[in-house]
Amino acid sequence: MSVLILFLSCKNEERKEVVSAEIKFSKIAELEWLEGDWTHINDESRSYEKWTKVDDSTLTSFSYVMVENDTVFVEDVTLQERMNDVFFTVKVSDQNDSEAVAFKLIPSEKGIFTFENKTHDFPKRITYSNPVKDSIHAWIEGVVEGESRKVNFLYKRTND
């Protein structure tokens, strides 16, 4: 009798594994082109992003900005598909009491991925696109002191 129970238990575990393997994360799969190292360099600063695929539902990024030899901005991002929604969750150590802030993917044009959090001060939207191979056009937008503001970032893939 105990052998039969063990057999049935193993069969149920196998089914669970098959069912979980069949779950598709199609929305996050559209963003896998982010994976890799990226740089944005201009006269004033150097920005770096490193995107890593954690699993089929999650990408993470570590980003920082340098001005001369000083690191002036650091952020950690988790991009995750949960329950048919995709969330861009960002944590900046000296902002928002060091708490993570989530932005939800909203419908937008094909190839443009806009994440929105209407309750956040700035930015309210974070957008990523891949206009040409090995490039990112990202921008943040919202309102600062009553005026609309948009900040662009143009990244190139690092070939290291």
Side-chain angles (χ1 to χ4, degrees):
M1 185 69 164
S2 63
V3 173
L4 180 60
I5 292 171
L6 179 62
F7 176 74
L8 291 174
S9 176
C10 290
K11 282 294 187 187
N12 286 338
E13 289 301 314
E14 287 176 26
R15 276 195 200 123
K16 286 180 186 175
E17 286 180 30
V18 170
V19 169
S20 65
E22 292 174 0
I23 295 172
K24 302 290 184 206
F25 296 99
S26 59
K27 292 178 183 178
I28 199 78
E30 291 181 41
L31 287 153
E32 287 181 359
W33 57 268
L34 285 168
E35 192 174 3
D37 295 321
W38 302 87
T39 59
H40 167 78
I41 298 173
N42 62 34
D43 293 338
E44 297 143 15
S45 65
R46 299 177 316 280
S47 301
Y48 303 92
E49 284 194 8
K50 179 177 183 66
W51 285 92
T52 305
K53 182 177 177 178
V54 176
D55 57 36
D56 288 345
S57 68
T58 308
L59 297 168
T60 60
S61 172
F62 175 74
S63 309
Y64 62 99
V65 178
M66 295 190 70
V67 174
E68 295 181 9
N69 292 325
D70 294 324
T71 303
V72 297
F73 179 82
V74 177
E75 73 178 1
D76 290 295
V77 175
T78 301
L79 189 54
Q80 187 171 47
E81 184 169 345
R82 298 186 311 248
M83 306 290 289
N84 293 321
D85 286 318
V86 177
F87 294 93
F88 185 103
T89 305
V90 60
K91 184 175 181 180
V92 179
S93 60
D94 61 348
Q95 295 179 10
N96 305 303
D97 297 324
S98 297
E99 294 292 322
V101 177
F103 295 78
K104 183 179 174 183
L105 181 66
I106 62 171
S108 54
E109 297 176 42
K110 184 175 172 68
I112 297 177
F113 303 90
T114 299
F115 303 88
E116 183 176 67
N117 180 334
K118 292 180 181 180
T119 64
H120 191 252
D121 54 0
F122 183 85
K124 294 203 181 292
R125 288 184 173 189
I126 300 169
T127 302
Y128 275 77
S129 68
N130 182 221
V132 295
K133 186 178 187 310
D134 294 331
S135 72
I136 293 174
H137 177 203
W139 62 94
I140 57 175
E141 55 189 321
V143 176
V144 176
E145 296 178 1
E147 303 226 359
S148 292
R149 184 168 175 201
K150 180 179 178 180
V151 181
N152 288 289
F153 303 92
L154 301 171
Y155 289 92
K156 293 185 180 185
R157 188 178 298 278
T158 304
N159 294 325
D160 291 343

Short mmCIF file of all heavy atoms in Angstrom, two decimals, residues 84-107:
data_model
loop_
_atom_site.label_atom_id
_atom_site.label_comp_id
_atom_site.label_asym_id
_atom_site.label_seq_id
_atom_site.Cartn_x
_atom_site.Cartn_y
_atom_site.Cartn_z
N ASN A 84 0.17 37.79 -15.96
CA ASN A 84 -0.09 38.45 -17.25
C ASN A 84 0.20 39.95 -17.25
O ASN A 84 -0.25 40.65 -18.15
CB ASN A 84 -1.52 38.19 -17.73
CG ASN A 84 -1.72 36.73 -18.09
OD1 ASN A 84 -0.83 36.11 -18.67
ND2 ASN A 84 -2.86 36.19 -17.73
N ASP A 85 0.89 40.47 -16.27
CA ASP A 85 1.34 41.85 -16.25
C ASP A 85 2.85 41.86 -16.13
O ASP A 85 3.45 40.93 -15.59
CB ASP A 85 0.74 42.63 -15.06
CG ASP A 85 -0.73 42.95 -15.26
OD1 ASP A 85 -1.10 43.35 -16.38
OD2 ASP A 85 -1.50 42.81 -14.30
N VAL A 86 3.47 42.93 -16.64
CA VAL A 86 4.92 43.08 -16.52
C VAL A 86 5.19 44.32 -15.69
O VAL A 86 4.60 45.38 -15.93
CB VAL A 86 5.60 43.20 -17.91
CG1 VAL A 86 7.10 43.41 -17.75
CG2 VAL A 86 5.33 41.95 -18.74
N PHE A 87 6.07 44.17 -14.71
CA PHE A 87 6.41 45.26 -13.80
C PHE A 87 7.89 45.59 -13.90
O PHE A 87 8.74 44.69 -13.90
CB PHE A 87 6.06 44.91 -12.36
CG PHE A 87 4.58 44.76 -12.16
CD1 PHE A 87 3.97 43.52 -12.28
CD2 PHE A 87 3.79 45.87 -11.87
CE1 PHE A 87 2.61 43.38 -12.11
CE2 PHE A 87 2.43 45.74 -11.70
CZ PHE A 87 1.83 44.49 -11.82
N PHE A 88 8.18 46.88 -13.99
CA PHE A 88 9.53 47.43 -13.98
C PHE A 88 9.69 48.01 -12.59
O PHE A 88 9.12 49.05 -12.26
CB PHE A 88 9.61 48.52 -15.06
CG PHE A 88 10.96 49.12 -15.26
CD1 PHE A 88 11.74 48.74 -16.35
CD2 PHE A 88 11.45 50.11 -14.42
CE1 PHE A 88 12.98 49.33 -16.58
CE2 PHE A 88 12.69 50.69 -14.64
CZ PHE A 88 13.45 50.30 -15.72
N THR A 89 10.41 47.31 -11.72
CA THR A 89 10.56 47.73 -10.33
C THR A 89 11.97 48.24 -10.12
O THR A 89 12.94 47.52 -10.36
CB THR A 89 10.25 46.56 -9.38
OG1 THR A 89 8.94 46.07 -9.69
CG2 THR A 89 10.28 47.02 -7.94
N VAL A 90 12.08 49.50 -9.70
CA VAL A 90 13.38 50.15 -9.60
C VAL A 90 13.65 50.58 -8.17
O VAL A 90 12.76 51.05 -7.47
CB VAL A 90 13.47 51.34 -10.58
CG1 VAL A 90 12.43 52.38 -10.30
CG2 VAL A 90 14.84 51.95 -10.59
N LYS A 91 14.90 50.37 -7.75
CA LYS A 91 15.32 50.79 -6.41
C LYS A 91 16.56 51.66 -6.56
O LYS A 91 17.57 51.24 -7.13
CB LYS A 91 15.62 49.58 -5.54
CG LYS A 91 15.97 49.95 -4.12
CD LYS A 91 16.15 48.71 -3.27
CE LYS A 91 16.49 49.11 -1.85
NZ LYS A 91 16.68 47.96 -0.99
N VAL A 92 16.46 52.89 -6.06
CA VAL A 92 17.57 53.84 -6.06
C VAL A 92 17.88 54.14 -4.61
O VAL A 92 17.00 54.55 -3.85
CB VAL A 92 17.19 55.13 -6.83
CG1 VAL A 92 18.35 56.12 -6.81
CG2 VAL A 92 16.77 54.81 -8.26
N SER A 93 19.13 53.92 -4.21
CA SER A 93 19.47 53.97 -2.78
C SER A 93 19.15 55.28 -2.09
O SER A 93 18.77 55.28 -0.93
CB SER A 93 20.95 53.61 -2.58
OG SER A 93 21.76 54.53 -3.27
N ASP A 94 19.27 56.41 -2.74
CA ASP A 94 19.02 57.68 -2.06
C ASP A 94 17.70 58.34 -2.47
O ASP A 94 17.53 59.54 -2.33
CB ASP A 94 20.19 58.65 -2.29
CG ASP A 94 20.41 58.97 -3.75
OD1 ASP A 94 19.82 58.29 -4.61
OD2 ASP A 94 21.18 59.91 -4.05
N GLN A 95 16.76 57.54 -2.97
CA GLN A 95 15.44 58.05 -3.35
C GLN A 95 14.35 57.17 -2.77
O GLN A 95 14.56 55.98 -2.55
CB GLN A 95 15.30 58.09 -4.88
CG GLN A 95 16.23 59.07 -5.56
CD GLN A 95 16.05 59.06 -7.07
OE1 GLN A 95 15.13 58.47 -7.61
NE2 GLN A 95 16.97 59.72 -7.76
N ASN A 96 13.19 57.75 -2.54
CA ASN A 96 12.01 57.00 -2.07
C ASN A 96 12.29 56.21 -0.79
O ASN A 96 11.83 55.08 -0.64
CB ASN A 96 11.47 56.08 -3.17
CG ASN A 96 11.18 56.81 -4.44
OD1 ASN A 96 10.40 57.76 -4.45
ND2 ASN A 96 11.82 56.41 -5.51
N ASP A 97 13.07 56.79 0.11
CA ASP A 97 13.45 56.12 1.36
C ASP A 97 14.07 54.75 1.09
O ASP A 97 13.88 53.80 1.85
CB ASP A 97 12.24 55.98 2.29
CG ASP A 97 11.70 57.33 2.72
OD1 ASP A 97 12.51 58.27 2.93
OD2 ASP A 97 10.46 57.46 2.84
N SER A 98 14.79 54.64 -0.03
CA SER A 98 15.45 53.41 -0.46
C SER A 98 14.47 52.26 -0.71
O SER A 98 14.86 51.09 -0.73
CB SER A 98 16.54 52.98 0.53
OG SER A 98 17.55 53.96 0.58
N GLU A 99 13.21 52.59 -0.90
CA GLU A 99 12.18 51.59 -1.21
C GLU A 99 12.06 51.43 -2.73
O GLU A 99 12.21 52.40 -3.47
CB GLU A 99 10.82 51.99 -0.63
CG GLU A 99 10.78 51.99 0.88
CD GLU A 99 10.91 50.61 1.48
OE1 GLU A 99 10.34 49.65 0.92
OE2 GLU A 99 11.58 50.48 2.51
N ALA A 100 11.75 50.23 -3.19
CA ALA A 100 11.54 49.98 -4.61
C ALA A 100 10.21 50.60 -5.05
O ALA A 100 9.25 50.65 -4.29
CB ALA A 100 11.54 48.48 -4.88
N VAL A 101 10.19 51.07 -6.30
CA VAL A 101 8.98 51.65 -6.89
C VAL A 101 8.65 50.84 -8.14
O VAL A 101 9.51 50.62 -8.99
CB VAL A 101 9.19 53.13 -7.26
CG1 VAL A 101 7.96 53.70 -7.94
CG2 VAL A 101 9.55 53.95 -6.02
N ALA A 102 7.40 50.40 -8.26
CA ALA A 102 6.98 49.57 -9.39
C ALA A 102 6.23 50.40 -10.42
O ALA A 102 5.40 51.25 -10.09
CB ALA A 102 6.09 48.43 -8.91
N PHE A 103 6.55 50.13 -11.69
CA PHE A 103 5.88 50.73 -12.84
C PHE A 103 5.31 49.58 -13.66
O PHE A 103 6.01 48.60 -13.92
CB PHE A 103 6.88 51.52 -13.69
CG PHE A 103 7.47 52.72 -12.99
CD1 PHE A 103 8.49 52.55 -12.06
CD2 PHE A 103 7.03 53.99 -13.26
CE1 PHE A 103 9.05 53.64 -11.41
CE2 PHE A 103 7.57 55.09 -12.62
CZ PHE A 103 8.59 54.92 -11.69
N LYS A 104 4.06 49.69 -14.08
CA LYS A 104 3.38 48.62 -14.80
C LYS A 104 3.42 48.88 -16.31
O LYS A 104 3.20 50.00 -16.76
CB LYS A 104 1.93 48.52 -14.33
CG LYS A 104 1.15 47.39 -14.95
CD LYS A 104 -0.26 47.36 -14.40
CE LYS A 104 -1.10 46.34 -15.10
NZ LYS A 104 -2.49 46.36 -14.61
N LEU A 105 3.68 47.82 -17.09
CA LEU A 105 3.68 47.91 -18.54
C LEU A 105 2.28 48.28 -19.01
O LEU A 105 1.29 47.65 -18.61
CB LEU A 105 4.11 46.58 -19.17
CG LEU A 105 4.17 46.54 -20.70
CD1 LEU A 105 5.27 47.46 -21.23
CD2 LEU A 105 4.40 45.11 -21.18
N ILE A 106 2.20 49.32 -19.84
CA ILE A 106 0.91 49.75 -20.40
C ILE A 106 0.94 49.54 -21.91
O ILE A 106 2.02 49.47 -22.51
CB ILE A 106 0.59 51.22 -20.05
CG1 ILE A 106 1.64 52.18 -20.64
CG2 ILE A 106 0.47 51.40 -18.53
CD1 ILE A 106 1.28 53.65 -20.51
N PRO A 107 -0.22 49.44 -22.53
CA PRO A 107 -0.25 49.27 -23.99
C PRO A 107 0.43 50.45 -24.69
O PRO A 107 0.25 51.60 -24.31
CB PRO A 107 -1.74 49.24 -24.32
CG PRO A 107 -2.42 48.85 -23.04
CD PRO A 107 -1.56 49.42 -21.95
#
